[in-house]
């Protein structure tokens, strides 16, 4: 019997939508006639299937119901996703329908039809239609949908019994692979209450409920949480064998409708617990608003985010300077969509070119006369630059030098170098080349002139190329192991939008020659991060103490030139600025003549060892470990 029902439902589900609508309309017409018979029987207290009164009522009710339901969108709804939205549509439609029927049969009156039927029939009809939709939803979703699903059903708890949690619950109801087993909420007054038949439990009972309800997943559905509050909850959840996922923050939920599609894995920003500081609009606008701005490396992680911010800040023109054709195409297309959506009028100019190409730079600077340059172009992958030091030097050192010369020649007002914490006491070629780039800017700033040179130094940005978080997530999904270079490696982290905002604001503070350092908060131990991500995936760490755990963590050794700890300052006592997250470093640099002599030798160098020796003269604190290029990982 059940198999036959599945066959019929599958057969019907495969019909074209138009044919299904016809069947639904015919079904509603039958329900309309049935509502008339029920109403007549209740009113007249005898059963009959036809008479003149029933005929008159049917002749008017049928065309009115079909017309009203069609116009109000009843027949555009999908039964298997019937919920509060469909109920609201039905209530609105029946409101119109009842007004017409009651007006004709109760207010005006038709001979042979009792006036009370103008009220009774719409009421009974509404009840029958609602029951038909609920039954259809059960057949197509609960019976057919779950009957088709042959995988493991995830038993879900929702943390947060507010509006977002309830909208998410409605979406889960349409997922045959999931079953909602309860809400968790910090409000103890809700403990024991029910929402649409699903019980709410106090957060203090989480351990008990996780076990008694066999929960496998927990969705954090409180999008208005601050980062600190989210971190506090996540810290508590780490102790339970649940796969924890979360909704984005409310600022990202622009549609106002929350579905299972918005659920995402926890990211490191959910674990940082540090709130972003509201930007200073005056600092943001000083180097951007109404100006021609050039961004080198416009398609990179930081370069592209700078472009997004600048494009919507009413820059006069934004020049995208990028050597990768695909990266340039991608960021240009994205920015044009962004401008169309935001209504901003910034003119976008995409230019293919390398920062090492002096004639190309001269052409661009002479043609467009940029007021501000954000120099983000660089090779930044430590092992790759370690394996290719000559090319790393050419791009990071001499690319910066050529861009600075063009800025000086064409009197750019502001030049901002995007630097890195790896430039501080570097142990790798990449960090050393970035410190050389800083030295070039400091040297030019010392000379004076029309251009204000400044540098902004910060650590890892979340979501940049090479970020550990997506790598760890992939390794966890594959069953492990998670590979660490060293369990004690610590890194600073910041979100890309936060870093871009602070870079632009630091540029607004520049007087010339400053090395700005961004407050990155507390460093994160990568080994702790890996363990946390495993546990929040509902899994356990496999180690000597727990040999039956799910995911192992293995150390593969530090990569060539990699440090355990990154620093942001060479000297001590950073200087505070008017922005609480931006500081200035007190740092020495080479005199102009000595710097230029070594750079003249370096530009001719084609041998690795000779190049490394020259880098050590430029940056005395450079303590590179001698490793073969092919050892990079």
């Amino acid at each position: 019997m059940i198999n036959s029902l599945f066959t019929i439902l599958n057969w019907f589900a495969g019909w074209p939508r138009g044919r299904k609508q016809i069947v639904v309309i015919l079904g509603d017409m039958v329900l309309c006639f049935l509502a008339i018979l029920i109403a007549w029987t209740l009113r007249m207290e005898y059963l009959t299937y036809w008479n003149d009164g029933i005929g008159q009522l049917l002749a008017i009710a049928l065309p009115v119901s079909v017309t009203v339901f069609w116009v109000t969108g009843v027949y555009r709804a999908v039964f298997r996703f019937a919920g509060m939205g469909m109920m609201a549509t039905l209530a609105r439609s029946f409101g119109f329908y009842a007004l017409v029927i009651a007006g004709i049969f109760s207010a005006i009156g038709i001979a042979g039809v009792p006036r009370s039927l103008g009220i009774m029939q719409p009421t009974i009809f509404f009840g029958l239609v609602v029951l038909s939709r609920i039954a259809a939803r059960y057949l197509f979703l609960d019976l057919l949908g779950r009957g088709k699903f042959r995988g493991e059903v995830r038993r879900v708890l929702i943390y947060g019994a507010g509006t977002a949690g309830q909208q998410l619950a409605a979406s889960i109801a349409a997922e045959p692979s999931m079953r909602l087993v309860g809400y968790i909420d910090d409000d103890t007054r809700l403990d024991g209450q029910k929402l649409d038949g699903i019980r709410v439990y106090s957060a203090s009972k989480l351990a008990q409920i996780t076990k008694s309800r066999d929960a496998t997943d927990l969705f954090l559905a409180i999008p208005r949480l601050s980062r600190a509050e989210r971190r506090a909850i996540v810290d508590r959840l780490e102790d339970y064998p649940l796969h924890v996922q979360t909704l984005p923050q409310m600022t990202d939920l622009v549609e106002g409708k929350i579905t299972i599609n918005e659920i995402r894995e926890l990211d490191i920003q959910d674990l940082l617990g540090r709130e972003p500081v509201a930007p200073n609009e005056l600092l943001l606008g000083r180097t951007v608003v109404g100006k021609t701005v050039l961004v080198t490396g416009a398609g990179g992680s930081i370069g592209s985010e700078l472009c997004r911010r600048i494009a919507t800040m009413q820059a006069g023109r934004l020049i995208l300077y990028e050597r990768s054709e695909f990266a340039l195409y991608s960021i240009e297309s994205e920015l044009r969509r962004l401008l169309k959506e935001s209504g901003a009028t910034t003119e976008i100019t995409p230019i293919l070119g390398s920062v090492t190409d002096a004639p190309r730079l001269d052409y661009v600077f002479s043609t467009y006369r940029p007021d501000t340059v954000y120099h983000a172009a660089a090779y930044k992958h430590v092992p790759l630059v370690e394996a290719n030091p000559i090319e790393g030097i050419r791009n990071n050192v001499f690319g910066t030098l050529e861009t600075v010369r063009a800025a000086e020649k064409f009197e750019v007002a502001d030049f901002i170098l995007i630097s890195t914490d790896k430039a501080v006491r570097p142990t790798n070629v990449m960090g050393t080349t970035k410190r050389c780039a800083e030295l070039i800017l400091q040297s030019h700033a010392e000379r004076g002139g029309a251009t204000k040179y400044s540098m902004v130094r910060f650590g890892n940005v979340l979501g940049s190329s090479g970020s550990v978080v997506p790598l760890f997530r992939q390794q966890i999904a594959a069953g492990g192991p998670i590979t660490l270079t060293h369990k004690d490696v610590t890194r600073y982290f910041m979100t890309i939008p936060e870093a871009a905002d602070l870079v632009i604001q630091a540029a607004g503070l520049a007087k010339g020659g400053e090395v700005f350092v961004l407050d990155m908060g507390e460093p994160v131990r990568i080994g702790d991060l890996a363990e946390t991500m495993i546990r929040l995936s509902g899994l356990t760490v496999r180690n000597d103490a727990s040999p039956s755990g799910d995911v192992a963590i293995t150390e593969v050794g530090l990569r060539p030139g990699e440090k355990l700890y990154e620093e942001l300052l060479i000297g001590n006592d950073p200087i505070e600025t008017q922005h609480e997250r931006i500081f200035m470093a007190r740092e020495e640099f080479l005199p102009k003549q000595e710097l230029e002599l070594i750079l003249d030798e370096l530009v001719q160098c084609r041998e690795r060892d000779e190049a490394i020796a020259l880098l050590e003269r430029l940056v005395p604190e450079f303590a590179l470990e001698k490793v073969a290029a092919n050892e990079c990982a």
Side-chain angles (χ1 to χ4, degrees), residues 176-193:
S177 62
M178 297 181 187
R179 183 153 297 156
L180 180 61
V181 297
Y183 292 95
I184 302 294
D185 203 278
D186 291 321
D187 189 345
T188 55
R189 294 172 299 177
L190 296 177
D191 187 30
Q193 302 296 314

Side-chain angles (χ1 to χ4, degrees), residues 47 68 107 135 161 213 254 263 366 379 420 470 492 495 521 523 543 559 566 574:
L47 177 62
V68 169
R213 304 293 290 161
V254 295
I263 283 288
S366 63
Y379 291 144
T420 171
Y492 292 96
T495 65
N543 51 31
R559 298 177 298 183
E566 298 293 359

Side-chain angles (χ1 to χ4, degrees), residues 446-520:
E446 185 186 30
R447 305 177 195 180
T451 304
K452 293 194 292 291
Y453 298 97
S454 60
M455 295 131 276
V456 185
R457 186 188 289 160
F458 52 94
N460 298 275
V461 287
L462 301 170
S464 65
S465 57
S467 178
V468 298
V469 175
L471 173 61
F472 285 177
R473 188 172 295 134
Q474 291 172 8
Q475 291 174 333
I476 291 170
I482 284 182
T483 54
L484 300 179
T485 56
H486 193 287
K487 64 180 180 181
D488 293 323
V489 164
T490 63
R491 293 291 181 264
Y492 292 96
F493 288 98
M494 179 178 284
T495 65
I496 293 179
E498 187 178 1
D501 270 356
L502 289 174
V503 166
I504 296 173
Q505 290 172 88
L509 292 168
K511 304 298 182 185
E514 299 92 344
V515 177
F516 291 108
V517 178
L518 304 187
D519 175 9
M520 303 288 293

Side-chain angles (χ1 to χ4, degrees), residues 132-146:
S132 73
R133 272 33 175 194
I134 293 173
R137 183 189 184 282
Y138 170 76
L139 287 172
F140 281 103
L141 176 63
D142 290 7
L143 192 57
L144 180 59
R146 299 194 192 282

Side-chain angles (χ1 to χ4, degrees), residues 281 284-293 306-319 335 338-348 371-372 504:
E281 297 297 332
L284 273 178
R286 194 185 72 77
T287 60
V288 173
V289 175
K291 299 181 182 293
T292 296
V293 182
L306 284 170
C307 290
R308 293 182 194 102
R309 295 293 288 126
I310 292 166
T312 56
M313 290 168 57
Q314 299 300 333
R317 181 193 295 269
L318 174 57
I319 303 168
L335 291 179
L338 184 62
L339 290 175
K340 186 175 181 180
E341 294 168 2
S342 67
T345 58
T346 301
E347 186 173 348
I348 303 296
D371 302 295
T372 304
I504 296 173

Side-chain angles (χ1 to χ4, degrees), residues 323 354-357 379 385 388-402 429 433 602-603 605-606:
R323 71 185 301 175
S354 169
V355 291
T356 62
D357 187 341
Y379 291 144
V385 176
N388 301 274
I390 302 300
E391 187 60 25
I393 291 168
R394 189 174 78 89
N395 192 69
N396 294 0
V397 178
F398 293 105
T400 299
L401 181 61
E402 295 298 350
V429 174
T433 59
L602 190 59
V603 74
C605 180
R606 292 294 178 269

